[in-house]
């Protein structure tokens, strides 16, 4: 299953938070689901502000979730990192671009997830996976 680009140990007892690989996590590169970006990416010097607040509140990061490359698309497909499996029907697409974030929550790998939504990129994969996305 290609839900995560980078999976982290989520032990710690806090709310489990999956993070779309457009959002910086200190110490990890942000690839935007792109091998070309990954080849140049340096580990983030700090958490993104939205993540810093969640971590300060006790959230435990489960990893960086997969997405359409460069968050450009509505299918959830990623030719570089694979396509997250739709938990309701593996024969169907997971929707995009926050496909990994939706699948992580729908399969119970995370309690909540961060994504980004320009034109439905959270709402579409959430609907495809049978969860709610805001």
């Amino acid at each position: 299953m290609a839900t995560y680009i980078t999976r982290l140990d989520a032990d710690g007892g806090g709310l489990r938070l999956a993070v779309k690989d457009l959002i910086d996590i200190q110490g990890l590169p942000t690839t935007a689901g792109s091998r070309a970006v990954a080849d140049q990416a340096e580990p983030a010097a700090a958490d993104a502000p939205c993540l810093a607040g969640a971590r300060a509140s006790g959230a435990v990061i489960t990893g960086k979730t997969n997405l359409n490359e460069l968050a450009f698309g509505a299918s959830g497909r990623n030719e570089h990192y694979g396509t997250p499996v739709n938990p309701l029907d593996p024969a169907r697409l997971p929707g995009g671009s926050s496909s990994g974030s939706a699948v992580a929550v729908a399969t119970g790998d995370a309690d909540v997830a961060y994504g980004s939504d320009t034109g439905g990129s959270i709402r579409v994969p959430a609907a495809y996976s049978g969860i709610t996305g805001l």
Side-chain angles (χ1 to χ4, degrees):
M1 189 155 88
T3 302
Y4 290 90
I5 291 174
T6 303
R7 185 71 191 252
L8 301 173
D9 181 12
D11 290 338
L15 187 72
R16 297 171 303 140
L17 172 64
V19 180
K20 185 176 183 176
D21 194 23
L22 285 180
I23 300 168
D24 283 346
I25 296 176
Q26 182 177 11
L28 297 176
T30 298
T31 73
S34 170
R35 289 277 187 209
V37 173
D39 289 345
Q40 304 293 319
E42 297 287 331
D47 287 337
C50 62
L51 185 57
R55 201 186 297 260
S57 296
V60 179
I61 311 306
T62 62
K64 301 202 88 170
T65 58
N66 205 347
L67 62 149
N68 281 97
E69 184 176 15
L70 305 174
F72 189 71
S75 68
R77 288 187 176 128
N78 186 305
E79 66 183 58
H80 306 292
Y81 295 102
T83 300
V85 176
N86 183 318
L88 297 180
D89 184 347
R92 298 186 183 273
L93 291 170
S97 70
S98 298
S99 55
S101 293
V103 170
V105 172
T107 60
D109 282 344
D111 300 311
V112 295
Y114 280 171
S116 63
D117 193 315
T118 304
S121 296
I122 291 173
R123 295 165 285 153
V124 170
Y128 281 29
S129 296
I131 63 169
T132 300
L134 303 172

